[in-house]
Amino acid sequence: MTEFLKKFMIGAIIQTRMGSTRLPGKVMKKIESNNTVLSYVISQLKSCKTLDKIIIATTTLDEDEIIFDYANNNGIDCFRGSSDDVLDRHYQCAKKFSCTDIVRIPSDKPLVDPILVDKIVNEYKKKSFDYVSNFLTETFPSGAEVEIFSFKTLEKTWKDAKKPSEREHVVPYIMNNPKIFRLHNYSNSENFSKLRYVVDRKEDLEVVQKIVARI
């Protein structure tokens, strides 16, 4: 056999919970009459051509039962794990669903661009990177962030990351160790990093509602 072809099982893991401090319950806030922040994230990712599976990763807290029920009622795979050790939640989720590679999308990005996701995934697949994102150097709007990494990278991070900040935010250990991991930034041709449509506060939700109303 002259060529080894890597087999990809790319899972998009949507990190979500109800307990946001700035805007509690934001993932279930309505963007329009019938669609929530979370449903928009899922809808956008369903338009991607490079993803094999979409998975919601939430917590085992009682308050997140509504997210689990939503996933079940809409035929979306859902994993429940630690509320504090988010790195472990991602690792156990990816392991359960046999993901070889993980696209990580926090649920506060309802306008994530499926075309951009596909471009970043294809960039990752073409070359031997451990981690690719479009915000190692910021040129995209806040709300358009995408990152992909291998299960092997996630597993090493899960084993070696010790600081609370590394367990809570999943990727700092990867990003802070370029001598261990092969990192790559996907840049935009123009710098739009001053723009913002991530939903972190009430004002952000209102901006996204106005954007969607004009589409």
Side-chain angles (χ1 to χ4, degrees):
M1 189 173 186
T2 58
E3 185 179 2
F4 174 77
L5 298 177
K6 181 178 179 181
K7 299 296 183 183
F8 291 89
M9 211 303 285
I10 300 175
I13 296 181
I14 303 172
Q15 175 186 321
T16 187
R17 64 190 178 99
M18 292 294 288
S20 170
T21 53
R22 295 186 184 91
L23 185 60
K26 65 183 178 182
V27 297
M28 289 300 174
K29 299 287 186 184
K30 293 287 184 71
I31 290 180
E32 54 184 1
S33 57
N34 295 318
N35 292 294
T36 63
V37 171
L38 179 57
S39 67
Y40 252 84
V41 177
I42 294 168
S43 178
Q44 292 294 92
L45 292 178
K46 281 183 175 179
S47 295
C48 295
K49 298 178 181 179
T50 56
L51 301 178
D52 298 304
K53 186 176 286 292
I54 297 171
I55 311 155
I56 293 173
T58 192
T59 83
T60 54
L61 296 175
D62 290 344
E63 65 189 29
D64 291 323
E65 190 75 23
I66 187 174
I67 294 173
F68 180 71
D69 290 341
Y70 172 85
N72 282 340
N73 292 336
N74 289 275
I76 305 295
D77 288 312
C78 186
F79 177 85
R80 303 186 75 174
S82 174
S83 59
D84 299 317
D85 191 342
V86 186
L87 174 56
D88 181 69
R89 193 197 317 168
H90 277 72
Y91 172 72
Q92 301 298 343
C93 177
K95 186 176 180 180
K96 177 180 179 179
F97 289 99
S98 302
C99 300
T100 62
D101 304 272
I102 297 95
V103 173
R104 177 173 172 264
I105 305 289
S107 60
D108 55 5
K109 300 171 179 27
L111 300 183
V112 59
D113 183 353
I115 295 175
L116 178 60
V117 173
D118 285 341
K119 287 181 177 180
I120 291 174
V121 171
N122 286 327
E123 182 83 358
Y124 169 83
K125 290 169 72 173
K126 281 191 304 183
K127 300 175 182 178
S128 297
F129 296 121
D130 298 311
Y131 173 93
V132 176
S133 81
N134 62 342
F135 57 90
L136 290 173
T137 301
E138 296 181 355
T139 57
F140 285 89
S142 180
E145 295 91 344
V146 179
E147 57 190 339
I148 180 171
F149 42 87
S150 67
F151 180 79
K152 182 179 178 181
T153 296
L154 177 61
E155 186 167 54
K156 180 169 179 57
T157 301
W158 176 76
K159 289 178 179 177
D160 295 348
K162 305 301 181 186
K163 297 177 183 178
S165 60
E166 295 170 344
R167 309 298 300 189
E168 181 184 357
H169 298 292
V170 185
V171 298
Y173 182 83
I174 301 172
M175 296 170 69
N176 292 333
N177 285 283
K179 293 183 179 180
I180 298 175
F181 303 108
R182 293 161 295 179
L183 310 180
H184 177 67
N185 187 72
Y186 186 90
S187 298
N188 196 35
S189 56
E190 295 183 61
N191 190 341
F192 292 125
S193 60
K194 291 183 179 180
L195 300 179
R196 177 185 176 91
Y197 46 81
V198 62
V199 176
D200 193 39
R201 303 166 302 203
K202 182 175 180 290
E203 295 80 4
D204 300 326
L205 179 62
E206 292 170 352
V207 168
V208 172
Q209 288 169 336
K210 290 177 180 179
I211 292 172
V212 169
R214 291 171 180 268
I215 296 176

